[in-house]
Each structure stands twice: as structure tokens, then as C-alpha cells.
Amino acid sequence: MKGLTSVTVSVPLTIRRRGGRKAIIGPDGVEHQAKAVGDGIIPVSSDPALIKALARGFRWRRMQEEGRYASIRQPATAEKVDRAYVERVLNLTPMPPKEVEALVG
């Protein structure tokens, strides 16, 4: 495969939080936000903290089913989080798949 070249494009930009949302500040100082899916940017309306909690819950549940964790204290200790948090997050896992999909976006 002779003749292959690569091109690196560098665009100076800054990401700032504006009212709980992230905005991209371009090199011209103009703030850019996604207005539609056709802009090449998919707007996300779901809560990143909720997605992280769901992912943790399903991972911890799987680890319990595999026998890696025998109690709720073990993932809490391993992840350095409160046992009550692990319980609350694990309570999200029996949710129907359609509801989980709706939350994730």
C-alpha cells in the first residue's frame, strides 16, 4: 500500500458549560450548539449521571450473577461508594428495557 498519506486537522476550540449544557466555542469566538440532527451533531437530552448509574447498576448486577460479588458491600467497597448508593442503583436494573431505552435517549 504505497502512496498512502495521512492528514491531521487541528481546530482550536473550547468546551464550556452553559446552563448545564456543553457549548463549543470555535476559534472565531462564536458559540456553536447543535440545532438539528442534520448538523452532524446528535443532540443528547439524557442525563449523563443517570446513564452512568444505569451502566454501573447493570455491571454490578452481572457481576453478582457471575458470582464475583456475593453481597452489596463488595461492589461498594471495590468502587469506593456508599452501600446505599449501590442498593439504589441496583434497584434500577429490573426496569423494563423500553423504559431504560427511553431514559438513555
Side-chain angles (χ1 to χ4, degrees), residues 13-33:
L13 57 90
T14 305
I15 299 175
R16 292 197 181 131
R17 285 197 169 270
R18 301 268 192 218
R21 295 180 183 242
K22 291 180 183 172
I24 299 171
I25 311 298
D28 55 357
V30 176
E31 183 175 314
H32 302 276
Q33 291 187 352

Side-chain angles (χ1 to χ4, degrees), residues 4 6 8 18 33 44 60 63-64 87 89 94-95 99:
L4 293 179
S6 64
T8 303
R18 301 268 192 218
Q33 291 187 352
V44 177
W60 293 336
M63 292 171 113
Q64 281 184 328
E87 284 181 17
V89 168
M95 201 179 333
E99 289 182 24

Side-chain angles (χ1 to χ4, degrees), residues 19-74:
R21 295 180 183 242
K22 291 180 183 172
I24 299 171
I25 311 298
D28 55 357
V30 176
E31 183 175 314
H32 302 276
Q33 291 187 352
K35 300 208 177 14
V37 177
D39 291 345
I41 301 171
I42 300 171
V44 177
S45 61
S46 56
D47 183 13
L50 180 59
I51 293 172
K52 183 177 179 179
L54 282 168
R56 281 180 157 179
F58 283 109
R59 184 170 53 97
W60 293 336
R61 176 71 67 203
R62 186 184 70 242
M63 292 171 113
Q64 281 184 328
E65 291 168 354
E66 291 172 350
R68 292 173 62 186
Y69 291 144
S71 70
I72 291 177
R73 290 184 193 272
Q74 290 176 330

